[in-house]
Amino acid sequence: MSDVRSAVSPCGHIAEPLQVIRLSIDSADAARRQYPGYRLTRLVGARLELDEKDIERLCDMLGLDLLRPVVGASRPFDYHLRHVIALYELGALFSDEGHAPYHHAIRPTGYDYHRDAVDPHGMELWRADYRAMPDVRQMMAASILWLYRAGKDNVWLRRVPCTWHAAEAIACLRANGAFEDCARLYALYPGW
């Protein structure tokens, strides 16, 4: 029996990303069978398709208040993003460029934003640091990057591991105590 609550709305329909999450938590094998090509990148990218009601369903489904306010944090996504970068030691991959307020100042390293071009040496370091990380940290970094890019990325995540099936990623994040942090980023995401 699953500890996850039903995400079915009164009309009986939930958004596909929520179905994938619910099924993945119930059974990663069943989720892989029912959604064979559903990668983590697709799940993260689908965040833009979800509305407030969907996020409420996600909270109910997980039994978590992912939107709970943090005392003193006027910008919850910015606060949580910075917390995740520090907690999962992703500072080599993301830096505060200070070019904009709040989370808009957080950018992936390895890129020259003034020239709008990859910094070859910086990107080499970015990819080496990323590859050296355990899967759970790679998944967190890739998820932040997909949120930053509002979908797939062909700049930073080229030639590095990032093709996890959503169900496998959810299982890994749960096993490593990172699922709630990732789900909170997902729920709080206001766009970049």
Side-chain angles (χ1 to χ4, degrees), residues 155-177:
V155 176
W156 288 270
L157 296 175
R158 291 180 64 182
R159 299 183 303 272
V160 296
C162 64
T163 58
W164 311 280
H165 189 281
E168 293 166 358
I170 289 170
C172 177
L173 290 165
R174 289 182 75 210
N176 287 281

Side-chain angles (χ1 to χ4, degrees), residues 2 9 28 36 61 70 75 81 98 106 115 117 128 131 139 151 158 190:
S2 170
S9 71
M61 181 175 68
V70 176
R75 304 280 190 216
L81 173 65
I106 303 294
R115 291 184 319 134
R131 280 189 201 100
M139 290 173 188
R158 291 180 64 182

Side-chain angles (χ1 to χ4, degrees), residues 126-135 137-138 161:
W126 193 97
R127 289 181 181 141
D129 287 339
Y130 177 91
R131 280 189 201 100
M133 293 179 175
D135 285 353
R137 289 177 60 210
Q138 288 180 358

